[in-house]
Amino acid sequence: MIDLHTHSNISDGTDSPRELILKAQSAGISVLALTDHDTTSGWQEACDSLTSGMDLVLGAEISCQAEGGISVHMLGLLFDSENQALQAELAKTRENRLSRMDRIIEKLNVAGIEITIADVMAQLSDGATLGRPHLADALIAKGHVNSREDAFTALLHNQSKYYVAHYSPTPEDAIRLIKAAGGVAVIAHPYASHRGRVITAESFRGLVDAGLDGIEVDHRDHSETEKASLLRVAYSYDLAITGASDYHGSGKINKLAENTTELRQWEKLELRANNRRVVRK
Ligand code: AMP
Ligand code: ZN
Ligand code: FE
Ligand code: FE
């Protein structure tokens, strides 16, 4: 079982990298990618926690903004974490997430919802990437909502009047940064239309020209029609096809390896990195 998209509490998942690795190993996963939002801070702990029997793929899910403010997530896998250009871009995004959170909180406060930045920061693990799920956790702690799901539905979704975007690179720039760092780029849940506006089939041309390696097709946020459309795009550009859980611990209902990637597709992807960076013990 190959699961190429998971989160730890180094972003908005709830398991530590160590807990995630242990759960994945006991679930019998053969290849696991750790892809926290806009950070590589969990890589060391994940490596240290790995024992034999599972291949670890280190990565990150990079927040991007396409034309018209469309939110896109780009999975970067197997890149060199010492690459300065990529790390600088991730740092810029993380920094901007802080002032963006202040602005969302301000809007909520104006509407009479009492919550402070301190409430939100209390939900964040040390050194983790700040995101709306932490605000959701703070709203739960204050008794405003019952779950992350409720918080997103009522207040935090992308079309909400409380929504504020943060700085992020274009998907093309993110791909170029990942590739320049020797990694591979897989676009995450590109047609998850119930989350908000999504990119068109035509916009894949530019992504492929920038170096896109794969498309995450099998993801719980895609309908069967959306999966079928994405398969056609993947075939037409000879891109790798992946499936993954987007596991977030107890932060989402997604179960580890509920969607998986075929070995042949994984091998195709792995070969496109400029170095053999899979961690194996
Ligand atoms: P942000 O990165 O701050 O824009 O927050 C987006 C993140 O929130 C996504 O990457 C998901 O992990 C999470 N998310 C989005 N919708 C939901 C939901 N309905 N329930 C729980 N988490 C969600
Ligand atoms: Zn997330
Ligand atoms: Fe995502
Ligand atoms: Fe994700």
Side-chain angles (χ1 to χ4, degrees):
M1 288 191 293
I2 302 171
D3 190 343
L4 298 179
H5 179 176
T6 68
H7 297 267
S8 77
N9 65 1
I10 295 301
S11 63
D12 54 7
T14 59
D15 291 341
S16 66
R18 179 179 164 72
E19 287 165 338
L20 171 61
I21 295 298
L22 297 183
K23 281 183 190 177
Q25 289 181 161
S26 44
I29 289 174
S30 50
V31 183
L32 181 90
L34 172 67
T35 53
D36 276 310
H37 296 285
D38 305 311
T39 184
T40 59
S41 294
W43 286 20
Q44 190 60 51
E45 184 182 323
C47 287
D48 293 346
S49 310
L50 188 70
T51 54
S52 71
M54 189 173 80
D55 285 357
L56 175 62
V57 175
L58 296 167
E61 184 175 16
I62 303 178
S63 313
C64 307
Q65 228 172 290
E67 227 168 285
I70 296 173
S71 165
V72 172
H73 287 173
M74 193 63 63
L75 296 167
L77 306 173
L78 301 170
F79 58 84
D80 173 13
S81 66
E82 314 250 296
N83 184 280
Q84 289 311 302
L86 181 51
Q87 286 294 356
E89 192 67 7
L90 297 181
K92 186 172 170 182
T93 298
R94 289 195 306 271
E95 215 170 279
N96 199 264
R97 281 171 166 277
L98 201 62
S99 52
R100 175 253 201 157
M101 186 59 72
D102 286 327
R103 288 161 64 203
I104 299 178
I105 288 173
E106 218 172 276
K107 289 188 175 200
L108 291 170
N109 291 163
V110 167
I113 300 163
E114 276 180 47
I115 197 86
T116 67
I117 187 74
D119 295 330
V120 178
M121 297 313 279
Q123 302 296 330
L124 196 67
S125 311
D126 262 0
T129 303
L130 177 64
R132 282 176 284 166
H134 303 107
L135 173 55
D137 292 345
L139 290 165
I140 298 167
K142 286 264 158 181
H144 294 298
V145 294
N146 288 316
S147 65
R148 279 189 180 184
E149 191 62 38
D150 286 352
F152 271 88
T153 306
L155 304 165
L156 304 183
H157 60 91
N158 290 22
Q159 272 84 36
S160 160
K161 59 180 173 184
Y162 306 113
Y163 180 75
V164 179
H166 56 76
Y167 165 80
S168 41
T170 65
E172 289 81 3
D173 281 346
I175 292 167
R176 283 189 279 266
L177 283 163
I178 293 164
K179 305 294 292 186
V184 297
V186 177
I187 187 167
H189 48 72
Y191 279 4
S193 59
H194 73 87
R195 293 181 177 210
R197 286 180 305 137
V198 298
I199 60 168
T200 61
E202 290 68 46
S203 42
F204 277 89
R205 173 82 266 165
L207 302 180
V208 170
D209 289 345
L212 184 71
D213 298 292
I215 302 181
E216 186 180 62
V217 174
D218 288 317
H219 186 287
R220 80 150 55 222
D221 293 355
H222 286 150
S223 69
E224 291 310 313
T225 317
E226 288 165 346
K227 287 180 196 177
S229 312
L230 281 172
L231 275 181
R232 278 198 294 277
V233 176
Y235 293 145
S236 68
Y237 293 114
D238 192 29
L239 298 170
I241 295 155
T242 73
S245 66
D246 202 358
Y247 174 77
H248 279 71
S250 58
K252 273 190 180 176
I253 58 176
N254 311 27
K255 297 278 171 265
L256 269 176
E258 64 173 27
N259 284 294
T260 55
T261 300
E262 283 176 21
L263 181 60
R264 199 164 48 91
Q265 298 292 333
W266 164 237
E267 287 171 347
K268 175 174 177 166
L269 205 52
E270 202 268 334
L271 274 173
R272 292 179 66 152
N274 79 342
N275 222 323
R276 308 281 62 84
R277 293 200 183 85
V278 172
V279 184
R280 194 171 286 156
K281 283 188 181 161

